Amino acid sequence: MKLESATRRPLQSRQSRWASATAGWLTRRRVRPNTISLVSVVFAALAGGCLAATSSSEPTPRALLLLLAAAMLQLRLLCNLLDGMVAIEGGLKTKSGELYNDVPDRVADLFILVGAGYGVLWGTWATTLGWLAAALAIMTAYVRVLGVSVGSRHYFVGPMAKQHRMAALTFACVAGALESLVEHPYTGTALGIGLVVIIVGSVLTIGRRIRRIAYDLERR
């Protein structure tokens, strides 16, 4: 259990009754954790599509798209929570589980953050924010996995780990829905600010993880 704890993202929600009940329900129906991981990509693609579509929508449909995107982001996180619980607590862990646990997350980040970039109307360069946020999000995971490969431990520290990125973007979506109804013309300011926060936070996260990994290696 100590080894599993060291390789799993620490989440308080894992201890909640509703999460245990949902994971138990899925386990009893033999839903594979790898399947849950793949479903998270579907929710991510829907979120990214909704965010990208806000660039050409009318105010009310745009607000609904942003709220739908926020819901999809949370469903993506729910899948990320449940796949691990079904695998570990439910005893359905597979030999390819680590692969399915990590690769779909990277694809999901790409869909979501790039989609958000296309929803920012700050000029033709604004989409670069989404691509940069996606690249840095993938980099945070790369540094964590690289650290393990060279003999360090899994570091899930923030300030912009996955759950923090999704929280920041969910807040941006809700704020964007309000913005859509009151700002004319709409420019996607809330999404733009959300992406800037994710970019800055991701740079800090990468730096913190590299520093801890380097410290571990130098102590050996």
Side-chain angles (χ1 to χ4, degrees):
M1 285 298 293
K2 289 183 178 179
L3 178 60
E4 289 172 357
S5 297
T7 59
R8 297 178 77 187
R9 189 182 304 274
L11 295 173
Q12 191 63 36
S13 54
R14 196 177 287 132
Q15 311 303 323
S16 62
R17 290 185 179 181
W18 66 265
S20 296
T22 305
W25 184 86
L26 292 169
T27 299
R28 289 191 295 274
R29 281 151 184 80
R30 310 299 292 178
V31 178
R32 297 294 174 181
N34 294 353
T35 302
I36 300 173
S37 298
L38 292 175
V39 170
S40 73
V41 180
V42 176
F43 288 130
L46 290 172
C50 288
L51 291 169
T54 60
S55 63
S56 58
S57 300
E58 294 300 315
T60 300
R62 182 185 295 123
L64 293 176
L65 285 170
L66 286 163
L67 293 176
L68 181 58
M72 293 299 104
L73 294 178
Q74 294 307 303
L75 288 173
R76 178 257 174 123
L77 286 180
L78 179 61
C79 288
N80 294 159
L81 170 69
L82 294 174
D83 60 0
M85 294 185 69
V86 171
I88 305 300
E89 285 84 350
L92 296 180
K93 186 175 181 179
T94 65
K95 292 181 179 180
S96 61
E98 286 298 322
L99 186 67
Y100 279 88
N101 187 55
D102 226 62
V103 175
D105 262 352
R106 308 293 71 82
V107 177
D109 279 333
L110 187 66
F111 281 151
I112 291 167
L113 295 170
V114 170
Y118 281 98
V120 180
L121 306 179
W122 289 350
T124 56
W125 60 271
T127 55
T128 305
L129 288 175
W131 285 101
L132 181 57
L136 291 170
I138 293 171
M139 186 69 178
T140 62
Y142 168 75
V143 169
R144 173 177 57 80
V145 175
L146 176 63
V148 176
S149 72
V150 296
S152 183
R153 53 168 289 187
H154 280 277
Y155 282 113
F156 297 100
V157 295
M160 203 52 68
K162 176 177 63 180
Q163 70 272 28
H164 306 134
R165 292 193 297 271
M166 294 303 99
L169 199 55
T170 299
F171 181 82
C173 287
V174 175
L178 296 175
E179 175 193 352
S180 175
L181 298 176
V182 300
E183 185 183 70
H184 302 287
Y186 174 81
T187 59
T189 299
L191 285 181
I193 293 173
L195 287 174
V196 170
V197 169
I198 290 171
I199 288 167
V200 174
S202 294
V203 170
L204 294 174
T205 299
I206 291 167
R208 289 189 70 199
R209 292 183 180 184
I210 289 175
R211 183 178 179 182
R212 293 193 180 196
I213 292 166
Y215 179 74
D216 284 348
L217 298 179
E218 291 296 336
R219 286 195 308 167
R220 290 196 304 184

